[in-house]
Amino acid sequence: MKYNAILLAFLSTSVFAETQDIEYITVTGDFRQATLDQLSSSATVLSTQRLNARQATYLDDILNVAPNVNFASGASRGRFIQIRGIGERSQFAEPINPSVSFLVDDFDFSGLAAAGVLFDTQQVEVFRGPQSTLFGTGALAGAVKIVSNQAGEDQSTHAEVRAGNKDSYRVEAATGSELTSALRYRVAFMHNASDGFVNNTFLNQDDTDNINETAARAALQWDVSDDSVLDISYRWYDIDNGYDAFSLDNTRESLVDEPGFDTQQTHAVSVKLTTDYQYGQLTSLLTHASHNIAYGYDEDWTYTGFHPFGYTSFDAYFREVDTQTAEIRFTSAQRAKLFNDTTDWLVGVHYKGVEEALWREYTYAESDFVSKYLPTTKALYAQTDTQFTNALALTFGLRFENYGFDYADNQGLQREYDTNMVGGKVALQYTPDQHTWYASISRGFKGAGINPAQRVSEEKRFFDEEYNWNYELGVKGPLFVPQATLRAAIFYMQRDNTQVNDFDVITRDDGTPDFIDVIDNADLGTNRGIELEASWLVTDIWQLQGSIGYLDAKFEEYTNARGDFIDEQQQAQAPRWTANLYSRLMISDSWSWQADIDFKDRYRFSDGHDVMSPSATLVNTQLRWENNHWYASAWANNLFDKTYYVRGFGGFSNDPRDGEFGYASPEPYYQLGAGRQYGITVGYQF
């Protein structure tokens, strides 16, 4: 009740601002580039200024700004995203079909969010609610898109160096220009490093949970003719992070003798041709990406000989993932409208093929586990936008998608699957004045899958596809005064065949725990809530921004992996309240002070146990100086060194000291978020 009162007071007394009017915030993730107020859905766009205010280096640094968005770590980074309570929390041997689409420019990196490092970024877009017309099976809950600075005619150059505690540093540089009047380029580079906050007392090392990330991109834009533009882009990632995050005592003091790792190497290339015709624009897009991924951890969280009852185990997963996409879309021109010049339209086809090979090395396995997973999606989609009057418009989108996969492993399991799924959206938009009101019904879908663990019973081996219906009402526009704006949405989502990520624990003969991951279907899930984002230019020198999310997410009628019937339960990773407050004060022409405060309510870590993450409030701040082309800032994130958690487990004991014979009582175990970070950033841009 205390936090509810705080948030209600926060809502009633505070209004916030953006540096630019809502009408001029361009969203790239829609079929047609649109302004934020033209979207008939709930979305957040985070500008470069907001990213810089938090010294953001990765997606999990900024996701708390968006209402009803959460993430789980279970790795070196928080790369598992949940929107409105829906999303994955981890991946081990099982192949996953993501609930949240993750895109970087034209690349579909869904399920591969280790590539969520931020550099040369124009903005980050977060779309809440099913986006099936746009993205298909990967967007049951929504989508996140990183938009880079493009190789266009008007480009900037910048270079930046950052240094902070924990031996952290970061360098970034980007530039672009014209090679000829018809050919432009852009290149960018980033390296990010930190020792992390874990101190391994057994190995006497303070960098076993370190960050070591390098990324680069190169882009060319060529005016092939007066009507055609060719864009070619290449991206490279080299992620080589440590993973030493858990301890028996839930501290940052590690005792492992085999620190884990979390790595990814990616090469990705895209080719896009855009051609204007009399009746519209034809866009053709091809992408290819190859990823080598390795993830491993010390399962016993200690060293050999730690305790007479202790065990020694290491678990490692190596994946090779190749992804190809192809898309052709025709978007009508203004002069090619249908139905008496009132309807814009578009139609497109999409293909995505993935080949995922897994090699697992596990101490307790008799032999290494090998599997191959080949999911394929083929889709046809269309959308119309009809303007009935100057104030009233209707959007209708539909997507037909064929989804299937082939799966085989060296334990003798083989499975083929193929189905057709349909999703889409109908939205009515009314703009009588400066306010835009909308009402929408959208249907999302997510493909079926398989549980590969050998000990999973045959009846639990396969789980069905999931559908949801999302009903939403929203408004965008000025709030009381022209200097204040509001975006508000209320939604009700019904999930059918809700995919629930669970696990079972089997005790081995030596008393140690053995985990089995199981995904199954609950009959029904209900996710409902409210999202508010507001802004206020209080004075010429002071601006405020903020957001509040309320979420009630639960599923019903489900039998968990241990055979217990669950009549109703709150969904995991779904905090009831989320909030953010951002303030920027211009002290002088050159100096500004910025503060960013996040609040996240308590929430369940998993559907399979009752361990909760406590509520947490984090404060980030920076003092920034700018003069012509130079800028510098002194900053601190998690200013008050708040202890908070980014992953949690329960329902078992991993402690050989527990009880007369060890491993006696279930205990909660937490992965701690970063402690206080502070440093200096210096940059040059022109």
Side-chain angles (χ1 to χ4, degrees):
M1 292 299 295
K2 176 181 69 174
Y3 291 114
N4 290 4
I6 292 173
L7 287 169
L8 289 173
F10 169 63
L11 173 62
S12 63
T13 60
S14 301
V15 196
F16 316 92
E18 297 195 347
T19 56
Q20 57 199 82
D21 294 337
I22 183 176
E23 289 82 1
Y24 302 107
I25 301 175
T26 301
V27 179
T28 69
D30 205 358
F31 286 129
R32 300 175 185 267
Q33 279 205 358
T35 56
L36 193 53
D37 70 316
Q38 293 172 330
L39 288 182
S40 53
S41 61
S42 184
T44 299
V45 177
L46 301 173
S47 65
T48 302
Q49 178 182 298
R50 286 304 304 271
L51 303 182
N52 291 340
R54 301 169 71 94
Q55 302 294 314
T57 61
Y58 185 78
L59 268 179
D60 61 5
D61 293 325
I62 51 91
L63 288 174
N64 289 337
V65 174
N68 288 333
V69 176
N70 199 8
F71 65 88
S73 185
S76 63
R77 291 291 203 175
R79 51 189 171 97
F80 300 97
I81 303 170
Q82 303 86 40
I83 297 179
R84 294 180 175 176
I86 303 175
E88 286 61 51
R89 300 185 296 280
S90 61
Q91 183 180 19
F92 298 98
E94 71 280 8
I96 62 171
N97 185 16
S99 301
V100 177
S101 286
F102 171 54
L103 301 102
V104 180
D105 298 328
D106 292 322
F107 296 101
D108 186 347
F109 287 157
S110 300
L112 300 162
V117 293
L118 301 172
F119 70 107
D120 196 29
T121 303
Q122 174 186 323
Q123 61 192 38
V124 176
E125 302 170 358
V126 182
F127 300 90
R128 292 179 290 275
Q131 307 289 324
S132 59
T133 308
L134 287 166
F135 307 118
T137 188
L140 179 77
V144 176
K145 182 179 182 182
I146 297 175
V147 183
S148 304
N149 293 313
Q150 301 303 304
E153 296 179 357
D154 185 17
Q155 299 187 60
S156 63
T157 294
H158 70 266
E160 182 179 280
V161 178
R162 183 185 310 171
N165 62 323
K166 300 298 179 179
D167 288 333
S168 63
Y169 68 92
R170 184 176 187 272
V171 294
E172 177 185 340
T175 188
S177 184
E178 289 187 347
L179 295 172
T180 70
S181 60
L183 185 63
R184 296 165 290 278
Y185 77 94
R186 186 163 187 85
V187 292
F189 171 85
M190 183 279 303
H191 178 70
N192 182 43
S194 173
D195 285 349
F197 285 83
V198 171
N199 182 26
N200 189 310
T201 57
F202 176 76
L203 297 176
N204 195 27
Q205 294 179 243
D206 61 2
D207 61 352
T208 53
D209 199 44
N210 69 307
I211 297 294
N212 184 11
E213 300 166 333
T214 308
R217 60 180 291 258
L220 282 175
Q221 187 178 84
W222 178 29
D223 297 336
V224 181
S225 67
D226 291 341
D227 300 318
S228 297
V229 177
L230 181 67
D231 287 283
I232 302 174
S233 180
Y234 169 76
R235 302 189 76 93
W236 169 73
Y237 298 88
D238 184 10
I239 313 298
D240 188 17
N241 296 342
Y243 181 45
D244 183 12
F246 285 89
S247 73
L248 298 178
D249 298 318
N250 291 317
T251 68
R252 294 193 176 96
E253 301 293 322
S254 169
L255 294 171
V256 306
D257 52 359
E258 295 182 274
F261 49 83
D262 183 16
T263 70
Q264 178 173 321
Q265 287 77 44
T266 292
H267 297 273
V269 62
S270 69
V271 179
K272 181 170 68 175
L273 179 65
T274 306
T275 304
D276 293 325
Y277 295 95
Q278 179 180 357
Y279 297 107
Q281 185 179 83
L282 181 66
T283 302
S284 303
L285 174 65
L286 296 172
T287 74
H288 172 80
S290 295
H291 313 271
N292 289 316
I293 302 167
Y295 169 76
Y297 56 95
D298 191 323
E299 189 179 40
D300 55 278
W301 301 342
T302 57
Y303 55 88
T304 301
F306 169 74
H307 192 276
F309 299 149
Y311 70 103
T312 296
S313 177
F314 195 87
D315 201 1
Y317 303 81
F318 304 90
R319 280 182 169 88
E320 293 183 359
V321 183
D322 287 335
T323 303
Q324 295 82 33
T325 70
E327 185 165 3
I328 300 176
R329 179 173 67 249
F330 188 84
T331 306
S332 69
Q334 291 291 320
R335 56 183 177 275
K337 292 184 178 182
L338 298 176
F339 310 122
N340 196 26
D341 294 334
T342 61
T343 301
D344 291 318
W345 56 274
L346 61 87
V347 62
V349 293
H350 177 83
Y351 167 84
K352 179 181 179 181
V354 179
E355 182 175 325
E356 179 179 316
L358 168 68
W359 185 291
R360 182 190 184 190
E361 298 177 351
Y362 182 44
T363 300
Y364 279 92
E366 294 181 0
S367 62
D368 292 342
F369 174 78
V370 179
S371 70
K372 180 166 280 191
Y373 176 61
L374 297 100
T376 303
T377 59
K378 292 169 282 188
L380 170 66
Y381 60 84
Q383 181 172 299
T384 60
D385 297 280
T386 302
Q387 195 75 38
F388 294 119
T389 69
N390 290 335
L392 188 63
L394 177 70
T395 296
F396 177 74
L398 201 60
R399 187 181 186 105
F400 299 91
E401 185 161 296
N402 174 263
Y403 171 76
F405 66 79
D406 293 325
Y407 176 87
D409 62 40
N410 64 345
Q411 294 180 344
L413 178 62
Q414 292 185 334
R415 188 64 60 97
E416 295 181 357
Y417 175 80
D418 186 272
T419 192
N420 297 314
M421 297 181 287
V422 180
K425 176 180 176 179
V426 177
L428 190 64
Q429 192 165 297
Y430 181 57
T431 311
D433 46 34
Q434 292 179 297
H435 293 85
T436 296
W437 302 81
Y438 70 88
S440 69
I441 301 174
S442 53
R443 189 190 198 214
F445 52 82
K446 179 184 177 183
I450 193 167
N451 293 305
Q454 194 171 30
R455 294 179 303 279
V456 173
S457 64
E458 188 59 31
E459 64 179 12
K460 296 282 190 180
R461 179 70 68 188
F462 186 79
F463 55 92
D464 295 326
E465 63 266 22
E466 176 181 347
Y467 291 91
N468 65 5
W469 287 95
N470 185 74
Y471 307 90
E472 187 165 318
L473 297 172
V475 62
K476 304 175 183 181
L479 180 65
F480 304 132
V481 294
Q483 294 81 11
T485 60
L486 173 72
R487 298 188 297 274
I490 182 171
F491 64 91
Y492 177 87
M493 184 188 301
Q494 180 175 306
R495 304 173 63 185
D496 297 322
N497 281 337
T498 307
Q499 293 181 9
V500 179
N501 195 331
D502 198 358
F503 73 92
D504 196 7
V505 182
I506 297 175
T507 302
R508 301 187 185 99
D509 293 339
D510 62 359
T512 60
D514 186 15
F515 302 92
I516 304 174
D517 292 292
V518 180
I519 301 175
D520 202 356
N521 297 98
D523 284 349
L524 180 67
T526 302
N527 300 49
R528 57 187 178 182
I530 300 171
E531 292 159 356
L532 300 173
E533 295 180 282
S535 59
W536 185 21
L537 188 61
V538 184
T539 70
D540 291 340
I541 63 170
W542 185 27
Q543 60 184 31
L544 293 171
Q545 298 178 25
S547 67
I548 294 179
Y550 170 80
L551 178 64
D552 179 22
K554 57 190 176 185
F555 59 78
E556 304 172 30
E557 301 180 12
Y558 163 64
T559 301
N560 66 21
R562 291 164 296 286
D564 303 322
F565 180 76
I566 307 298
D567 182 54
E568 182 179 291
Q569 180 176 289
Q570 290 294 314
Q571 295 174 22
Q573 292 293 133
R576 189 166 294 260
W577 290 98
T578 54
N580 170 263
L581 173 62
Y582 169 72
S583 171
R584 184 170 186 261
L585 177 66
M586 293 300 302
I587 302 173
S588 69
D589 291 341
S590 300
W591 290 90
S592 64
W593 171 68
Q594 300 170 61
D596 217 330
I597 305 172
D598 299 331
F599 171 79
K600 190 181 296 183
D601 208 354
R602 64 198 299 263
Y603 60 88
R604 297 174 63 98
F605 279 117
S606 172
D607 297 320
H609 58 75
D610 296 326
V611 174
M612 305 282 289
S613 171
S615 61
T617 301
L618 304 180
V619 178
N620 310 309
T621 188
Q622 77 165 341
L623 182 65
R624 183 179 174 92
W625 168 83
E626 297 179 62
N627 187 8
N628 295 324
H629 301 301
W630 289 94
Y631 63 89
S633 61
W635 50 270
N637 292 338
N638 192 5
L639 177 64
F640 299 107
D641 203 20
K642 174 73 175 181
T643 297
Y644 66 102
Y645 308 118
V646 294
R647 191 74 172 103
F649 295 100
F652 68 96
S653 174
N654 205 36
D655 194 340
R657 304 168 300 182
D658 183 18
E660 184 178 358
F661 301 104
Y663 311 105
S665 304
E667 297 289 343
Y669 298 106
Y670 304 104
Q671 180 178 355
L672 279 67
R676 183 189 293 116
Q677 298 175 290
Y678 53 87
I680 300 291
T681 298
V682 178
Y684 182 80
Q685 60 185 359
F686 62 93

